[in-house]
Amino acid sequence: MAKLILHANNTFTIDVSVSDSNVYSESVQVKFENNFGFDKVHGTNELFLTPTQLELLGRFLVRQADELRTAQEMKATA
């Protein structure tokens, strides 16, 4: 399992974990946990994707981040 913790601010984190869902499936489990304070889970969302779908989701997010960053930079210099 791999885990990424994104610190949005002093009290809010988003924990993203990726793991095999089970031995009988080719799915990958992706879990998003919204935490307020230390280890206080407020909400959880789970996705079950194939590795290819997970890769497509990751590439989509990277592409959107680049486009949004460029748009924000353009607004700041206008």
Side-chain angles (χ1 to χ4, degrees):
M1 177 171 68
K3 190 170 196 173
L4 171 67
I5 299 174
L6 301 170
H7 296 278
N9 59 38
N10 292 340
T11 60
F12 181 73
T13 65
I14 301 169
D15 299 354
V16 183
S17 60
V18 178
S19 62
D20 286 334
S21 62
N22 63 47
V23 296
Y24 304 106
S25 171
E26 294 181 7
S27 295
V28 175
Q29 179 185 26
V30 182
K31 185 189 295 186
F32 296 89
E33 294 179 349
N34 305 314
N35 300 293
F36 295 97
F38 181 72
D39 283 340
K40 295 180 183 173
V41 177
H42 180 71
T44 300
N45 293 305
E46 292 179 279
L47 303 171
F48 294 92
L49 307 168
T50 66
T52 300
Q53 290 170 327
L54 179 61
E55 181 180 12
L56 290 170
L57 177 61
R59 289 176 187 251
F60 171 78
L61 293 173
V62 168
R63 193 169 49 250
Q64 292 307 305
D66 287 342
E67 289 179 14
L68 291 168
R69 185 178 297 112
T70 300
Q72 290 175 349
E73 290 171 355
M74 292 177 73
K75 284 181 190 177
T77 60

Coordinates of all heavy atoms in Angstrom, one line a residue:
M1 N 0.9 -1.2 0.0 CA 0.0 0.0 0.0 C 0.9 1.2 0.0 O 1.9 1.3 0.7 CB -0.9 0.0 1.2 CG -1.8 1.3 1.3 SD -3.1 1.3 2.5 CE -2.1 1.4 4.0
A2 N 0.5 2.2 -0.7 CA 1.2 3.5 -0.8 C 0.2 4.6 -0.2 O -1.0 4.5 -0.4 CB 1.6 3.9 -2.2
K3 N 0.8 5.5 0.5 CA -0.1 6.6 1.1 C 0.5 8.0 0.9 O 1.8 8.1 1.0 CB -0.3 6.3 2.6 CG -1.3 7.2 3.2 CD -1.6 6.7 4.6 CE -2.9 7.3 5.2 NZ -3.2 6.7 6.4
L4 N -0.3 8.9 0.5 CA 0.1 10.3 0.4 C -0.7 11.1 1.3 O -2.0 11.0 1.3 CB -0.1 10.8 -1.1 CG 0.0 12.2 -1.4 CD1 1.5 12.7 -1.2 CD2 -0.4 12.5 -2.8
I5 N -0.1 12.0 2.1 CA -0.9 12.9 3.0 C -0.7 14.3 2.5 O 0.5 14.8 2.5 CB -0.4 12.7 4.4 CG1 -0.6 11.3 4.9 CG2 -1.1 13.7 5.3 CD1 0.0 11.0 6.3
L6 N -1.8 14.9 2.1 CA -1.7 16.3 1.6 C -2.2 17.2 2.8 O -3.3 17.1 3.3 CB -2.7 16.5 0.4 CG -2.3 15.6 -0.8 CD1 -3.5 15.7 -1.8 CD2 -1.0 16.1 -1.4
H7 N -1.4 18.1 3.2 CA -1.7 19.1 4.3 C -2.3 20.3 3.6 O -1.6 21.2 3.1 CB -0.5 19.4 5.1 CG 0.1 18.2 5.8 ND1 -0.4 17.8 7.0 CD2 1.1 17.4 5.5 CE1 0.2 16.7 7.4 NE2 1.2 16.5 6.5
A8 N -3.6 20.4 3.7 CA -4.3 21.6 3.1 C -4.1 22.8 4.0 O -3.9 23.9 3.4 CB -5.8 21.3 2.9
N9 N -4.1 22.7 5.3 CA -3.9 23.8 6.2 C -3.5 23.1 7.6 O -3.2 21.9 7.6 CB -5.0 24.7 6.3 CG -6.3 24.1 6.8 OD1 -6.3 23.2 7.6 ND2 -7.4 24.5 6.2
N10 N -3.4 23.9 8.6 CA -3.0 23.4 9.9 C -3.9 22.3 10.5 O -3.4 21.5 11.3 CB -2.9 24.5 10.9 CG -1.8 25.5 10.6 OD1 -0.9 25.1 9.9 ND2 -1.8 26.7 11.1
T11 N -5.1 22.3 10.1 CA -6.1 21.3 10.7 C -6.7 20.3 9.8 O -7.4 19.4 10.2 CB -7.2 22.0 11.5 OG1 -7.9 22.8 10.6 CG2 -6.6 22.9 12.6
F12 N -6.4 20.4 8.5 CA -7.1 19.6 7.5 C -6.1 18.9 6.6 O -5.2 19.5 6.1 CB -8.0 20.5 6.6 CG -8.8 19.8 5.6 CD1 -9.9 19.0 5.9 CD2 -8.5 19.9 4.3 CE1 -10.6 18.3 5.0 CE2 -9.2 19.2 3.3 CZ -10.2 18.4 3.7
T13 N -6.3 17.6 6.5 CA -5.4 16.8 5.6 C -6.3 15.9 4.7 O -7.4 15.6 5.1 CB -4.4 15.9 6.4 OG1 -5.1 14.9 7.1 CG2 -3.5 16.7 7.3
I14 N -5.8 15.5 3.6 CA -6.4 14.6 2.7 C -5.4 13.4 2.6 O -4.3 13.6 2.1 CB -6.7 15.2 1.3 CG1 -7.6 16.4 1.5 CG2 -7.3 14.1 0.4 CD1 -7.8 17.2 0.2
D15 N -5.8 12.3 3.0 CA -4.9 11.1 3.0 C -5.4 10.2 1.8 O -6.6 9.9 1.7 CB -5.0 10.2 4.2 CG -4.6 11.0 5.5 OD1 -4.1 12.1 5.3 OD2 -4.7 10.4 6.6
V16 N -4.5 10.0 0.8 CA -4.8 9.2 -0.3 C -4.0 7.9 -0.2 O -2.7 7.9 -0.1 CB -4.4 9.9 -1.6 CG1 -4.8 9.1 -2.9 CG2 -5.0 11.3 -1.7
S17 N -4.7 6.8 -0.3 CA -3.9 5.5 -0.2 C -4.3 4.6 -1.4 O -5.5 4.7 -1.9 CB -4.2 4.7 1.1 OG -5.6 4.5 1.2
V18 N -3.4 3.9 -1.9 CA -3.6 3.0 -3.1 C -3.1 1.6 -2.7 O -2.0 1.5 -2.2 CB -2.8 3.5 -4.3 CG1 -3.0 2.6 -5.5 CG2 -3.2 5.0 -4.7
S19 N -3.9 0.6 -3.0 CA -3.5 -0.8 -2.7 C -4.3 -1.7 -3.6 O -5.3 -1.4 -4.1 CB -3.8 -1.1 -1.2 OG -5.1 -1.0 -0.9
D20 N -3.9 -3.0 -3.6 CA -4.6 -4.0 -4.3 C -5.9 -4.2 -3.5 O -5.9 -4.2 -2.3 CB -3.9 -5.4 -4.3 CG -2.8 -5.4 -5.3 OD1 -2.8 -4.6 -6.3 OD2 -1.8 -6.1 -5.1
S21 N -7.0 -4.4 -4.2 CA -8.3 -4.6 -3.5 C -8.4 -5.9 -2.9 O -8.8 -6.1 -1.7 CB -9.5 -4.3 -4.4 OG -9.5 -5.2 -5.4
N22 N -8.1 -7.0 -3.6 CA -8.0 -8.3 -3.0 C -7.3 -9.2 -4.0 O -7.1 -8.9 -5.2 CB -9.4 -8.8 -2.7 CG -10.4 -8.9 -3.8 OD1 -10.0 -9.5 -4.9 ND2 -11.5 -8.4 -3.7
V23 N -7.1 -10.5 -3.6 CA -6.4 -11.4 -4.5 C -7.2 -11.9 -5.6 O -6.7 -12.5 -6.6 CB -5.8 -12.6 -3.7 CG1 -4.8 -12.1 -2.7 CG2 -6.9 -13.3 -3.0
Y24 N -8.5 -11.8 -5.6 CA -9.4 -12.3 -6.6 C -9.8 -11.3 -7.7 O -10.5 -11.6 -8.6 CB -10.7 -12.8 -5.9 CG -10.4 -13.9 -4.9 CD1 -10.6 -13.5 -3.5 CD2 -10.0 -15.1 -5.2 CE1 -10.3 -14.5 -2.5 CE2 -9.7 -16.1 -4.2 CZ -9.9 -15.7 -2.9 OH -9.6 -16.6 -1.9
S25 N -9.3 -10.1 -7.5 CA -9.7 -9.0 -8.4 C -8.5 -8.4 -9.0 O -7.4 -8.3 -8.4 CB -10.6 -8.0 -7.7 OG -10.8 -6.9 -8.5
E26 N -8.6 -7.8 -10.2 CA -7.6 -7.0 -10.8 C -7.7 -5.5 -10.5 O -7.0 -4.7 -11.0 CB -7.5 -7.2 -12.3 CG -7.2 -8.6 -12.7 CD -7.2 -8.8 -14.2 OE1 -7.3 -7.8 -15.0 OE2 -7.0 -10.0 -14.7
S27 N -8.6 -5.2 -9.6 CA -8.9 -3.8 -9.2 C -7.9 -3.3 -8.2 O -7.3 -4.1 -7.5 CB -10.3 -3.7 -8.6 OG -11.3 -4.0 -9.5
V28 N -7.7 -2.0 -8.3 CA -6.9 -1.3 -7.3 C -7.8 -0.4 -6.5 O -8.7 0.2 -7.0 CB -5.9 -0.4 -8.1 CG1 -5.1 0.4 -7.1 CG2 -4.9 -1.3 -8.9
Q29 N -7.6 -0.5 -5.2 CA -8.4 0.4 -4.3 C -7.7 1.7 -4.1 O -6.6 1.8 -3.7 CB -8.6 -0.3 -3.0 CG -9.5 0.5 -2.0 CD -9.5 -0.1 -0.6 OE1 -8.7 -0.9 -0.2 NE2 -10.6 0.1 0.1
V30 N -8.5 2.8 -4.4 CA -8.0 4.1 -4.1 C -8.9 4.7 -3.1 O -10.1 4.8 -3.3 CB -8.0 5.0 -5.4 CG1 -7.5 6.4 -5.1 CG2 -7.2 4.3 -6.5
K31 N -8.3 5.2 -1.9 CA -9.2 5.7 -0.8 C -8.7 7.1 -0.5 O -7.5 7.4 -0.4 CB -9.0 4.8 0.4 CG -9.9 5.2 1.6 CD -9.6 4.5 2.9 CE -9.8 3.1 2.8 NZ -9.7 2.4 4.1
F32 N -9.7 8.0 -0.4 CA -9.5 9.4 0.0 C -10.1 9.6 1.3 O -11.3 9.3 1.5 CB -10.2 10.4 -1.0 CG -9.6 10.3 -2.4 CD1 -10.1 9.4 -3.3 CD2 -8.6 11.2 -2.8 CE1 -9.6 9.4 -4.6 CE2 -8.0 11.1 -4.0 CZ -8.5 10.2 -5.0
E33 N -9.3 10.0 2.3 CA -9.9 10.3 3.7 C -9.7 11.8 4.0 O -8.6 12.3 3.8 CB -9.1 9.5 4.7 CG -9.4 8.0 4.6 CD -8.6 7.2 5.7 OE1 -7.7 7.8 6.4 OE2 -8.9 6.0 5.8
N34 N -10.8 12.4 4.4 CA -10.7 13.8 4.8 C -10.6 13.9 6.3 O -11.4 13.3 7.0 CB -12.0 14.6 4.4 CG -12.2 14.4 2.9 OD1 -11.3 14.6 2.1 ND2 -13.4 14.1 2.5
N35 N -9.5 14.5 6.8 CA -9.2 14.5 8.2 C -9.2 15.9 8.8 O -8.6 16.8 8.2 CB -7.9 13.8 8.5 CG -7.8 12.4 8.1 OD1 -8.5 11.6 8.6 ND2 -7.0 12.1 7.0
F36 N -9.9 16.1 9.9 CA -9.9 17.4 10.6 C -9.2 17.1 11.9 O -9.8 16.3 12.7 CB -11.3 17.9 10.8 CG -12.0 18.3 9.5 CD1 -12.8 17.5 8.9 CD2 -11.7 19.5 9.0 CE1 -13.5 17.8 7.8 CE2 -12.3 19.9 7.8 CZ -13.2 19.0 7.2
G37 N -8.0 17.6 12.2 CA -7.3 17.3 13.4 C -6.6 16.0 13.2 O -6.6 15.4 12.2
F38 N -5.9 15.6 14.2 CA -5.0 14.4 14.1 C -5.9 13.1 14.2 O -6.6 12.9 15.1 CB -4.0 14.4 15.3 CG -3.1 13.2 15.3 CD1 -2.1 13.2 14.3 CD2 -3.2 12.2 16.2 CE1 -1.2 12.1 14.3 CE2 -2.3 11.1 16.1 CZ -1.4 11.1 15.2
D39 N -5.8 12.4 13.1 CA -6.5 11.1 13.0 C -8.0 11.1 13.3 O -8.5 10.1 13.8 CB -5.8 10.0 13.9 CG -4.5 9.5 13.4 OD1 -4.3 9.6 12.2 OD2 -3.7 9.0 14.2
K40 N -8.6 12.2 12.9 CA -10.1 12.2 13.0 C -10.7 12.2 11.6 O -10.8 13.3 11.0 CB -10.5 13.5 13.8 CG -10.0 13.5 15.2 CD -10.5 14.7 15.9 CE -9.9 14.7 17.4 NZ -10.1 15.9 18.1
V41 N -11.0 11.0 11.1 CA -11.6 10.9 9.8 C -13.0 11.5 9.7 O -13.8 11.1 10.5 CB -11.6 9.4 9.3 CG1 -12.2 9.3 8.0 CG2 -10.1 8.9 9.3
H42 N -13.2 12.4 8.8 CA -14.5 13.1 8.7 C -15.2 12.4 7.5 O -16.5 12.3 7.6 CB -14.3 14.6 8.4 CG -15.6 15.3 8.2 ND1 -16.4 15.5 9.2 CD2 -16.1 15.9 7.1 CE1 -17.5 16.2 8.8 NE2 -17.3 16.4 7.5
G43 N -14.5 12.0 6.5 CA -15.2 11.4 5.4 C -14.2 10.5 4.6 O -13.0 10.8 4.5
T44 N -14.8 9.5 3.9 CA -14.0 8.6 3.1 C -14.7 8.3 1.8 O -15.9 8.1 1.8 CB -13.8 7.3 3.9 OG1 -13.1 7.5 5.1 CG2 -12.9 6.3 3.1
N45 N -13.9 8.3 0.7 CA -14.4 7.9 -0.6 C -13.5 6.9 -1.1 O -12.3 7.0 -1.0 CB -14.4 9.1 -1.5 CG -15.4 10.2 -1.1 OD1 -16.6 9.9 -1.0 ND2 -15.0 11.4 -1.0
E46 N -14.0 5.8 -1.7 CA -13.2 4.7 -2.2 C -13.6 4.5 -3.7 O -14.8 4.6 -4.1 CB -13.5 3.4 -1.5 CG -13.0 3.5 0.0 CD -13.3 2.2 0.7 OE1 -14.4 2.0 1.1 OE2 -12.3 1.3 0.7
L47 N -12.6 4.2 -4.5 CA -12.7 3.9 -5.9 C -12.1 2.6 -6.1 O -11.0 2.3 -5.5 CB -12.0 4.9 -6.8 CG -12.4 6.4 -6.6 CD1 -11.5 7.3 -7.4 CD2 -13.8 6.6 -7.1
F48 N -12.6 1.8 -7.0 CA -12.0 0.5 -7.4 C -11.8 0.6 -8.9 O -12.7 0.7 -9.7 CB -12.9 -0.7 -7.0 CG -13.0 -0.8 -5.6 CD1 -14.0 -0.2 -4.9 CD2 -12.1 -1.6 -4.9 CE1 -14.1 -0.4 -3.5 CE2 -12.2 -1.7 -3.5 CZ -13.2 -1.1 -2.8
L49 N -10.5 0.7 -9.3 CA -10.1 0.9 -10.7 C -9.1 -0.1 -11.2 O -8.4 -0.7 -10.3 CB -9.4 2.3 -10.8 CG -10.1 3.5 -10.2 CD1 -9.2 4.7 -10.2 CD2 -11.3 3.8 -11.1
T50 N -9.0 -0.3 -12.5 CA -7.9 -1.1 -13.0 C -6.7 -0.3 -12.9 O -6.7 1.0 -12.8 CB -8.2 -1.5 -14.5 OG1 -8.2 -0.3 -15.3 CG2 -9.6 -2.2 -14.6
P51 N -5.5 -0.9 -13.0 CA -4.3 -0.1 -13.0 C -4.3 0.9 -14.2 O -3.8 2.0 -14.1 CB -3.2 -1.2 -13.2 CG -3.8 -2.4 -12.5 CD -5.2 -2.3 -12.9
T52 N -4.8 0.5 -15.4 CA -4.9 1.5 -16.5 C -5.8 2.7 -16.2 O -5.4 3.8 -16.5 CB -5.4 0.7 -17.8 OG1 -4.5 -0.3 -18.0 CG2 -5.5 1.7 -18.9
Q53 N -6.9 2.4 -15.6 CA -7.8 3.5 -15.2 C -7.1 4.4 -14.2 O -7.3 5.7 -14.2 CB -9.1 3.0 -14.6 CG -10.0 2.3 -15.7 CD -11.2 1.6 -15.0 OE1 -11.1 1.1 -13.9 NE2 -12.3 1.6 -15.8
L54 N -6.4 3.8 -13.2 CA -5.7 4.6 -12.2 C -4.6 5.5 -12.9 O -4.5 6.7 -12.6 CB -5.0 3.7 -11.2 CG -4.2 4.4 -10.1 CD1 -5.1 5.3 -9.3 CD2 -3.5 3.3 -9.2
E55 N -3.9 5.0 -13.9 CA -2.9 5.7 -14.6 C -3.6 6.9 -15.4 O -3.1 8.0 -15.4 CB -2.2 4.8 -15.6 CG -1.1 5.6 -16.4 CD -0.3 4.7 -17.3 OE1 -0.8 3.5 -17.5 OE2 0.7 5.1 -17.8
L56 N -4.7 6.6 -16.0 CA -5.4 7.6 -16.8 C -5.9 8.8 -15.9 O -5.8 9.9 -16.2 CB -6.6 7.0 -17.5 CG -6.3 6.2 -18.7 CD1 -7.5 5.5 -19.2 CD2 -5.7 7.0 -19.8
L57 N -6.4 8.4 -14.7 CA -6.8 9.4 -13.7 C -5.6 10.2 -13.3 O -5.7 11.5 -13.2 CB -7.4 8.7 -12.5 CG -7.9 9.6 -11.3 CD1 -8.9 10.6 -11.8 CD2 -8.4 8.8 -10.2
G58 N -4.5 9.6 -13.0 CA -3.3 10.4 -12.6 C -2.9 11.3 -13.7 O -2.5 12.5 -13.4
R59 N -2.8 10.9 -14.9 CA -2.4 11.7 -16.1 C -3.4 12.9 -16.2 O -3.0 14.0 -16.5 CB -2.3 10.9 -17.3 CG -1.1 10.0 -17.3 CD -1.2 9.1 -18.6 NE -0.1 8.1 -18.6 CZ 1.0 8.1 -19.3 NH1 1.2 9.1 -20.1 NH2 1.8 7.1 -19.2
F60 N -4.7 12.6 -16.1 CA -5.7 13.7 -16.2 C -5.5 14.7 -15.1 O -5.5 15.9 -15.4 CB -7.1 13.0 -16.1 CG -8.2 14.1 -15.9 CD1 -8.7 14.7 -17.0 CD2 -8.7 14.4 -14.7 CE1 -9.7 15.7 -16.9 CE2 -9.7 15.3 -14.6 CZ -10.2 16.0 -15.7
L61 N -5.2 14.3 -13.9 CA -5.0 15.3 -12.8 C -3.8 16.1 -13.0 O -3.8 17.3 -12.8 CB -5.0 14.5 -11.5 CG -6.3 13.9 -11.0 CD1 -6.1 13.1 -9.8 CD2 -7.4 14.9 -10.8
V62 N -2.7 15.5 -13.5 CA -1.5 16.2 -13.8 C -1.7 17.3 -14.9 O -1.3 18.4 -14.8 CB -0.3 15.3 -14.2 CG1 0.9 16.0 -14.7 CG2 0.1 14.5 -13.0
R63 N -2.4 16.8 -15.9 CA -2.7 17.7 -17.1 C -3.5 18.9 -16.6 O -3.3 20.1 -17.0 CB -3.4 17.0 -18.2 CG -3.4 17.7 -19.5 CD -3.9 16.8 -20.7 NE -5.1 16.0 -20.4 CZ -5.1 14.7 -20.2 NH1 -4.0 14.0 -20.3 NH2 -6.2 14.0 -20.0
Q64 N -4.5 18.6 -15.8 CA -5.4 19.7 -15.3 C -4.6 20.7 -14.4 O -4.8 21.9 -14.4 CB -6.6 19.1 -14.6 CG -7.6 18.4 -15.5 CD -8.0 19.3 -16.7 OE1 -8.5 20.3 -16.5 NE2 -7.8 18.7 -17.9
A65 N -3.8 20.1 -13.5 CA -3.0 21.0 -12.7 C -2.1 21.9 -13.5 O -2.0 23.1 -13.2 CB -2.1 20.1 -11.7
D66 N -1.5 21.4 -14.5 CA -0.6 22.3 -15.4 C -1.4 23.4 -16.1 O -1.0 24.5 -16.1 CB 0.1 21.4 -16.5 CG 1.2 20.6 -15.9 OD1 1.7 20.9 -14.8 OD2 1.6 19.6 -16.6
E67 N -2.6 23.0 -16.6 CA -3.5 24.0 -17.3 C -4.0 25.0 -16.3 O -4.0 26.2 -16.6 CB -4.6 23.3 -18.0 CG -4.2 22.5 -19.2 CD -5.4 21.8 -19.9 OE1 -6.5 22.1 -19.6 OE2 -5.1 20.9 -20.7
L68 N -4.4 24.6 -15.1 CA -4.9 25.6 -14.1 C -3.8 26.5 -13.6 O -4.0 27.7 -13.4 CB -5.6 24.9 -13.0 CG -6.9 24.2 -13.4 CD1 -7.3 23.2 -12.3 CD2 -7.9 25.2 -13.7
R69 N -2.6 26.0 -13.4 CA -1.5 26.8 -13.0 C -1.1 27.8 -14.0 O -0.9 29.0 -13.7 CB -0.2 25.9 -12.7 CG 0.9 26.6 -12.1 CD 2.1 25.7 -11.8 NE 1.8 24.7 -10.8 CZ 1.7 23.4 -11.1 NH1 1.9 22.9 -12.3 NH2 1.4 22.6 -10.1
T70 N -1.1 27.4 -15.3 CA -0.8 28.4 -16.4 C -1.9 29.5 -16.4 O -1.6 30.7 -16.6 CB -0.8 27.6 -17.7 OG1 0.3 26.7 -17.7 CG2 -0.5 28.6 -18.9
A71 N -3.2 29.1 -16.3 CA -4.3 30.1 -16.3 C -4.2 31.0 -15.1 O -4.4 32.3 -15.3 CB -5.6 29.4 -16.3
Q72 N -3.8 30.5 -14.0 CA -3.7 31.4 -12.8 C -2.5 32.4 -13.0 O -2.6 33.6 -12.6 CB -3.5 30.6 -11.5 CG -4.7 29.9 -11.1 CD -4.5 28.9 -9.9 OE1 -3.4 28.7 -9.5 NE2 -5.6 28.5 -9.4
E73 N -1.4 31.9 -13.5 CA -0.2 32.8 -13.8 C -0.6 33.9 -14.8 O -0.1 35.0 -14.6 CB 1.0 31.9 -14.3 CG 1.6 31.1 -13.2 CD 2.6 30.1 -13.7 OE1 2.8 30.0 -15.0 OE2 3.2 29.4 -12.9
M74 N -1.4 33.5 -15.8 CA -1.8 34.5 -16.8 C -2.7 35.6 -16.2 O -2.6 36.8 -16.5 CB -2.5 33.8 -18.0 CG -1.5 33.0 -18.8 SD -2.3 32.1 -20.2 CE -2.6 33.5 -21.3
K75 N -3.6 35.2 -15.3 CA -4.4 36.1 -14.6 C -3.6 37.1 -13.7 O -3.9 38.2 -13.6 CB -5.4 35.4 -13.7 CG -6.6 34.8 -14.4 CD -7.5 34.1 -13.5 CE -8.5 33.3 -14.2 NZ -9.4 32.6 -13.2
A76 N -2.6 36.5 -13.0 CA -1.8 37.3 -12.1 C -0.9 38.3 -12.9 O -0.6 39.4 -12.3 CB -0.8 36.4 -11.3
T77 N -0.5 38.1 -14.1 CA 0.3 39.0 -14.9 C -0.6 40.0 -15.7 O 0.0 40.9 -16.3 CB 1.3 38.3 -15.8 OG1 0.5 37.4 -16.7 CG2 2.2 37.4 -15.0
A78 N -1.9 39.7 -15.8 CA -2.7 40.6 -16.6 C -3.0 41.9 -15.9 O -3.0 42.1 -14.7 CB -4.0 39.9 -16.9

